[in-house]
Each structure stands twice: as C-alpha cells, then as structure tokens.
Amino acid sequence: MGPTPELTIFYDSACPLCSREMAQLTEHDRLHKIQLEDLNAPDLSERFPQLNLEAANTILHGLTSDGRLVYGLDVTAMAWGLTGKHCWVKLLRLPLIKPVADKAYLAFARNRYKLSYLLTGEQRCETGSCQIKKP
C-alpha cells in the first residue's frame, strides 16, 4: 500500500456524471494526492467503518489524511485544489456564495441520476459501475 492520500473521496460509481468528474480528477491528480473509493464496493464498510453509507449516498463525502470527514462542495473544492486545476471552484466556498452553492449541490445530488440522463443519455452506468481509467 502506498502513502496515505491527502483526500479520499467516496463517490457513486453508478452515476455517470459523478464517475466522469472522478475520471477528470484522476487525470489531473498527477501527484496521487487523491484516493477514490466506490460507495458500491462490497467491502467499503469494513475498510471505512466511520463512513455512514446512507449519508454518503446523499451527499459527497471525503476523508482527509488527518481523519476529518468533509462533505459536498467542500470535498469538490479540496479535490480540485489538490490537482491545481479548476481553481474557480474555490469561489463556491466564498461566504456569500457558499449557502446558495450548497443548496444547488444538494439538489444536484438528490437528482443526479435524472440529470445524468439529461446530460449524458445514461441514467445509470450499464454495468452498475462506470469504469474510471487510471493514468
């Protein structure tokens, strides 16, 4: 096993949009600071007992290297910050924008399969899990 990642992201591999963003993160994570964990993995609860799977399927969860859980757009902003890409995402954490962005994110998370279908033509990945290519 390699060094501890700075951020572990727990994502829904059955969601085409979610998996596409994770694929983009993986592509830009040249220093391997981010570890991806599929919420649908059968042994996830054993490996991460601190994770509430029901809650993690409602809002994106991340685990920092110091053991702190982070949620929603905080995970997204932290992840893109670690890659040095999409710096605009940190604007979503500004005090006046954060409450609105968080509500919009929760609406997206609740409707991610419908939105995936509208944007990609796929509601869920055909095999139940989208494949992410590792660099």
Side-chain angles (χ1 to χ4, degrees):
M1 183 171 247
T4 303
E6 290 187 39
L7 179 65
T8 300
I9 300 174
F10 302 94
Y11 77 102
D12 179 5
S13 67
C15 168
L17 286 177
C18 306
S19 293
R20 285 181 183 185
E21 181 171 12
M22 294 305 115
Q24 288 178 357
L25 277 169
T26 298
E27 181 182 327
H28 294 295
D29 183 25
R30 304 220 187 277
L31 298 177
H32 309 290
K33 295 180 178 186
I34 300 168
Q35 176 179 318
L36 301 179
E37 291 290 342
D38 180 358
L39 288 173
N40 302 302
D43 63 342
L44 190 68
S45 292
E46 295 167 18
R47 292 184 294 118
F48 296 95
Q50 71 275 42
L51 187 69
N52 177 327
L53 286 177
E54 188 175 326
N57 264 306
T58 304
I59 184 171
L60 186 64
H61 280 47
L63 180 65
T64 63
S65 58
D66 64 1
R68 204 170 30 95
L69 283 168
V70 290
Y71 308 96
L73 289 175
D74 289 334
V75 177
T76 302
M78 184 179 291
W80 284 112
L82 289 171
T83 69
K85 301 289 181 184
H86 299 300
C87 295
W88 63 266
V89 174
K90 67 183 174 189
L91 296 174
L92 300 176
R93 305 293 77 206
L94 291 174
L96 292 174
I97 298 171
K98 187 179 189 310
V100 174
D102 287 345
K103 283 185 180 166
Y105 167 77
L106 288 173
F108 162 80
R110 254 190 325 273
N111 298 291
R112 65 186 180 268
Y113 297 119
K114 290 176 188 170
L115 291 169
S116 285
Y117 182 74
L118 289 172
L119 297 172
T120 70
E122 277 187 295
Q123 185 169 355
R124 288 182 183 255
C125 296
E126 288 183 26
T127 62
S129 177
C130 301
Q131 298 299 312
I132 295 178
K133 294 177 185 171
K134 305 270 181 183

